Amino acid sequence: MFKKILIANRGEIACRVIKTAKKMGIKTVAIYSDADKQALHVQMADEAVHIGPPPANQSYIVIENVMRAIKETGAEAVHPGYGFLSENAKFAEALEAAGVAFIGPPKGAIEKMGDKITSKKIAQEAKVSTVPGYMGLIADAEEAVKISNEIGYPVMIKASAGGGGKGMRIAWNDSEAREGFQSSKNEAANSFGDDRIFIEKFITQPRHIEIQVLCDSHGNGIYLGERECSIQRRQQKVVEEAPSPFLDEATRKAMGEQSVALAKAVDYASAGTVEFIVDGAKNFYFLEMNTRLQVEHPVTELITGVDLVEQMIRVAYGEKLAMAQEDVTLTGWAIENRLYAEDPYRGFLPSIGRLTRYRPPEETASGPLLENGKWQGDAPEGAFAVRNDTGVYEGGEISMFYDPMIAKLCTWAPTRLEAIAHMRDALDGFELEGIGHNLPFLSAVMDHEVFIKGEMTTAFIEEQYPEGFEGVTLEEPALRKIAASAAAMHRVAEIRRTRVSGRMDNHERVVGGLLEPSGL
Amino acid sequence: MSLQGQDYPVTIAADRDGSDVHFADGTTLRVASNWTPGDQLARLDVGGEGLVLKVGKVSGGFKIRSRGAELKVHVRTPRQAELAKLMPEKVAPDTSKMLLCPMPGLIVTINVEEGEEVQEGQALCTVEAMKMENILRAERKGVVAKINAAPGDSLAVDEVIMEFE
């Protein structure tokens, strides 16, 4: 096995990879920019190398800087996490030239699948049904408008190299198509250094369901069930779960087998995700393949008991998959909520600053991941699981340079409703101060009837909160409980106030006729 | 107790293990907790059921967050409550004729000029933050009176980008 690996990423995903590497007895190297000198991933790693100023395009995505860090530390392999260099074929090429293993798919697969235009062509050749759209490159905004009209509004304008909601716009008319094209192009140039754009039909009432695949370099491939990621805001996922409340066994099998076939068609070897749009009649259309570890991979780990990072490292080392398709079982239900530094009361705009208070709920280990001995970290065992993947700590800072995600809070329980109930409790117990964050919004979603019934589509947030989120209005019983609680707390606070020292003798204030303070 | 626009007259009786809160309609809720002043997270037992509240201090009461709701809870004596009813409501300053920067970020482009008439939905400027470009649009028809920012400016939240007539 590798002796030392470098993690070419930051934040929670760097911490996540370090946890598994430690479990496998592999030494870890972190890289950091000026803004991340004190970051958690730097503290957790065995070594850390500085690679440049805060903006990602001068540090984390500069291939030469990362290569220098590899050379300095003698790392044998690199895990790229997600975003940054994870789907950059030039990076995989540079590693190959330097004789360093890439903990990800072969560069050919990244090139073919990483480019949305090429990947769609390959999927079509492999007889996977795809969404109608324009596959060629688009020169300017006027051509974008013409193509949009040919496809018919609404259309989705996407950066060819994009992902994670960046460089993506939906247009309902000519002027939005024109603006969206320009914005997508600019964002793509800034974030990925590749400003090619394509346009496709935007399917209404869709669900976003993706299949996790895992392939080795000996021609074996399996699928580890699906993830339902329908609750999204501006193409950015907010709540994910596995399995999907919508799929039946036959659809799951069809999607899984097609995904594996597609992966094999590009000689895929690593963990990967095939994204589909599924309509109300359970027709599914291939969207894209992400040739990396996904943000929401924990929900799959929680129901399958497979540590995906461990599998990626083993595959990169050249090992054969230790399991076959019939060994994959889906047990219980897992839900993930993404905590963003985005203020729901201000239209979800990003918020930056210091985390004056950050106290996540206590983690508990349970379910298949614990039974297989693959639980990452040392949480106590429980009847249900609470897992919090994060890259921050109390007193740390959320800077304007990177993704505003604070943490990924997951729960696992035998049934979906139990998993939701535990998620509500976990969100209630999550203390977060100093920045605007979406905790109240997540709580509201967990209590939302449409979500509880499992009937959400990707339009959930737009449809249920058309005017934006303004907080929940509580019903009578809950209000009464809070009124009673506040009365009781006020009484205790008043008693405390009477005990302030330095008061005049014989003029003590008496609260409720009791001089001695009692419990609440 | 006054919260979310509703008043709940209550009396409270405490013993060693908790408090009985009596409402005006005759119902009673028993509250027990080990909360102490200053705790930001209150784990309570109310009427036999668990309840977790995030508690902040505001003058004259608490700021309480629970299940996606954010409430200001005012605790007043009967006389205070009577007088509070007579207090005028504070009106937020009128910012409808200004374009405020909705987040800390960088101005990428300004699409209008001073004196220009803008239509509802027209793009006014683009602000970049956290690698996302956000187009700010006019909420209604108007004329640009003054522009206070230029492309390349880094703005704080709520800074005035432009004013309208």
Side-chain angles (χ1 to χ4, degrees):
Chain A
M1 188 39 64
F2 300 119
K3 299 272 178 302
K4 192 195 269 187
I5 62 170
L6 181 138
I7 297 107
N9 215 303
R10 63 177 300 283
E12 66 86 17
I13 194 62
C15 300
R16 158 75 189 83
V17 174
I18 291 171
K19 277 186 189 168
T20 288
K22 277 195 174 153
K23 236 183 134 122
M24 296 172 73
I26 302 170
K27 290 252 179 284
T28 52
V29 182
I31 56 173
Y32 64 96
S33 70
D34 289 335
D36 279 337
K37 207 171 276 176
Q38 312 285 335
L40 193 60
H41 73 281
V42 176
Q43 296 173 18
M44 280 174 72
D46 298 306
E47 288 173 64
V49 183
H50 175 251
I51 48 144
N57 58 10
Q58 295 170 41
S59 52
Y60 293 105
I61 58 174
V62 180
I63 295 174
E64 301 87 80
N65 293 6
V66 179
M67 295 307 295
R68 184 172 48 78
I70 295 166
K71 213 167 275 168
E72 270 175 31
T73 55
E76 295 163 65
V78 173
H79 196 297
Y82 51 73
F84 294 145
L85 294 171
S86 60
E87 290 170 289
N88 188 319
K90 288 184 195 123
F91 181 54
E93 213 166 278
L95 289 174
E96 206 178 294
V100 176
F102 180 64
I103 304 173
K107 81 170 197 282
I110 302 178
E111 271 167 354
K112 287 175 195 148
M113 284 297 148
D115 188 291
K116 290 193 172 85
I117 295 170
T118 324
S119 74
K120 242 182 142 179
K121 280 183 185 145
I122 293 173
Q124 278 176 344
E125 280 159 21
K127 309 244 182 300
V128 179
S129 79
T130 52
V131 183
Y134 180 75
M135 311 276 287
L137 293 168
I138 298 154
D140 58 23
E142 290 317 309
E143 201 187 334
V145 169
K146 201 178 123 235
I147 292 162
S148 303
N149 276 306
E150 281 166 19
I151 298 169
Y153 289 105
V155 296
M156 176 127 71
I157 301 166
K158 281 185 178 179
S160 180
K166 292 191 176 81
M168 235 187 238
R169 289 289 187 282
I170 293 162
W172 297 79
N173 54 47
D174 286 359
S175 72
E176 283 183 11
R178 209 168 282 131
E179 282 166 6
F181 176 78
Q182 203 51 51
S183 281
S184 293
K185 210 174 162 74
N186 291 351
E187 276 179 30
N190 286 340
S191 293
F192 318 111
D194 176 353
D195 65 354
R196 288 175 301 155
I197 299 292
F198 78 107
I199 298 178
E200 68 181 19
K201 176 90 179 161
F202 176 60
I203 293 182
T204 46
Q205 296 298 311
R207 297 172 81 108
H208 177 123
I209 299 176
E210 58 189 28
I211 301 286
Q212 176 71 53
V213 295
L214 184 60
C215 303
D216 64 18
S217 45
H218 306 277
N220 304 308
I222 56 172
Y223 60 93
L224 297 164
E226 77 282 4
R227 289 184 290 260
E228 160 100 46
C229 315
S230 293
I231 297 194
Q232 314 184 337
R233 197 185 62 77
R234 284 180 60 177
Q235 309 302 310
Q236 179 92 269
K237 294 161 193 163
V238 181
V239 177
E240 297 102 341
E241 62 184 288
S244 162
F246 186 64
L247 288 196
D248 52 48
E249 201 47 58
T251 316
R252 175 175 299 130
K253 191 160 183 273
M255 288 171 79
E257 281 169 0
Q258 276 198 28
S259 302
V260 172
L262 183 68
K264 284 186 176 168
V266 292
D267 297 321
Y268 201 82
S270 191
T273 298
V274 183
E275 297 192 341
F276 291 95
I277 270 193
V278 184
D279 70 13
K282 294 196 175 95
N283 296 313
F284 55 90
Y285 305 96
F286 168 76
L287 269 186
E288 59 174 309
M289 180 169 186
N290 294 317
T291 56
R292 55 170 155 87
L293 189 65
Q294 294 275 91
V295 176
E296 59 275 20
H297 74 275
V299 289
T300 297
E301 295 189 329
L302 285 165
I303 62 161
T304 59
V306 175
D307 182 333
L308 288 168
V309 173
E310 180 193 336
Q311 294 302 321
M312 287 176 82
I313 295 174
R314 291 193 185 283
V315 168
Y317 192 67
E319 287 185 20
K320 275 189 182 170
L321 287 186
M323 67 195 115
Q325 189 60 53
E326 52 271 22
D327 301 327
V328 177
T329 50
L330 310 182
T331 311
W333 217 284
I335 301 205
E336 173 180 279
N337 276 230
R338 295 195 197 181
L339 261 71
Y340 283 108
E342 290 179 340
D343 195 337
Y345 305 116
R346 300 184 74 113
F348 293 98
L349 288 167
S351 164
I352 54 172
R354 194 168 295 286
L355 288 165
T356 55
R357 206 173 181 87
Y358 172 79
R359 304 206 179 156
E362 200 193 347
E363 285 191 315
T364 52
S366 188
L369 204 53
L370 176 71
E371 280 155 30
N372 289 359
K374 299 296 179 193
W375 187 272
Q376 301 121 31
D378 46 11
E381 289 182 29
F384 58 91
V386 177
R387 168 173 167 175
N388 185 48
D389 285 29
T390 188
V392 300
Y393 51 89
E394 188 165 284
E397 215 172 333
I398 303 286
S399 78
M400 64 177 281
F401 299 107
Y402 313 109
D403 198 85
M405 193 165 76
I406 304 167
K408 302 184 314 204
L409 184 63
C410 297
T411 55
W412 175 92
T415 66
R416 185 168 186 268
L417 288 180
E418 286 170 279
I420 295 173
H422 293 310
M423 180 57 81
R424 281 189 204 119
D425 292 343
L427 289 169
D428 275 348
F430 208 125
E431 288 185 76
L432 200 52
E433 302 284 343
I435 47 155
H437 56 75
N438 66 344
L439 265 179
F441 178 72
L442 295 174
S443 288
V445 172
M446 291 300 113
D447 273 333
H448 202 290
E449 205 184 330
V450 173
F451 174 74
I452 294 168
K453 284 188 185 157
E455 289 169 354
M456 58 282 186
T457 69
T458 52
F460 173 82
I461 293 176
E462 268 169 45
E463 280 173 10
Q464 303 300 330
Y465 303 97
E467 304 290 318
F469 177 70
E470 276 159 7
V472 173
T473 309
L474 291 176
E475 301 296 322
E476 172 68 18
L479 273 186
R480 251 169 204 266
K481 278 184 168 184
I482 292 174
S485 307
M489 289 190 288
H490 180 69
R491 187 187 143 271
V492 175
E494 279 293 287
I495 293 170
R496 167 79 70 90
R497 279 192 274 274
T498 63
R499 294 163 72 201
V500 170
S501 59
R503 301 217 162 188
M504 267 198 288
D505 284 350
N506 296 319
H507 285 76
E508 291 94 354
R509 209 152 64 89
V510 176
V511 175
L514 260 178
L515 261 179
E516 277 295 302
S518 63
L520 208 163
Chain B
M1 313 299 304
S2 155
L3 58 155
Q4 203 176 282
Q6 294 229 44
D7 286 339
Y8 292 96
V10 298
T11 57
I12 184 164
D15 54 50
R16 287 272 156 203
D17 307 312
S19 312
D20 288 314
V21 180
H22 304 285
F23 287 85
D25 61 4
T27 56
T28 298
L29 275 175
R30 171 123 187 123
V31 183
S33 171
N34 57 1
W35 181 84
T36 56
D39 286 353
Q40 294 187 6
L41 197 69
R43 292 181 188 277
L44 307 122
D45 182 279
V46 183
E49 286 172 48
L51 179 68
V52 180
L53 302 176
K54 281 160 201 165
V55 183
K57 187 84 197 89
V58 291
S59 78
F62 301 100
K63 189 173 94 177
I64 288 185
R65 279 170 296 167
S66 166
R67 289 289 153 88
E70 193 166 322
L71 308 165
K72 240 183 210 169
V73 183
H74 290 285
V75 188
R76 299 186 175 110
T77 63
R79 178 64 176 154
Q80 281 173 338
E82 203 180 301
L83 294 174
K85 287 206 177 70
L86 303 172
M87 294 297 284
E89 287 273 327
K90 194 177 167 190
V91 186
D94 182 19
T95 56
S96 62
K97 294 224 183 287
M98 292 176 226
L99 175 68
L100 302 181
C101 191
M103 75 213 110
L106 191 77
I107 303 278
V108 183
T109 52
I110 297 227
N111 308 43
V112 294
E113 285 170 14
E114 284 182 15
E116 191 177 327
E117 190 183 284
V118 294
Q119 302 299 323
E120 186 185 326
Q122 187 179 335
L124 298 173
C125 68
T126 312
V127 180
E128 190 199 288
M130 294 192 167
K131 293 190 283 180
M132 295 285 282
E133 285 201 354
N134 298 279
I135 300 174
L136 305 183
R137 295 168 187 283
E139 278 174 19
R140 62 181 82 84
K141 201 174 144 180
V143 177
V144 180
K146 196 166 166 242
I147 296 176
N148 298 331
D153 285 0
S154 191
L155 297 188
V157 70
D158 280 344
E159 256 187 77
V160 179
I161 301 174
M162 58 185 78
E163 292 163 35
F164 302 94
E165 277 172 13

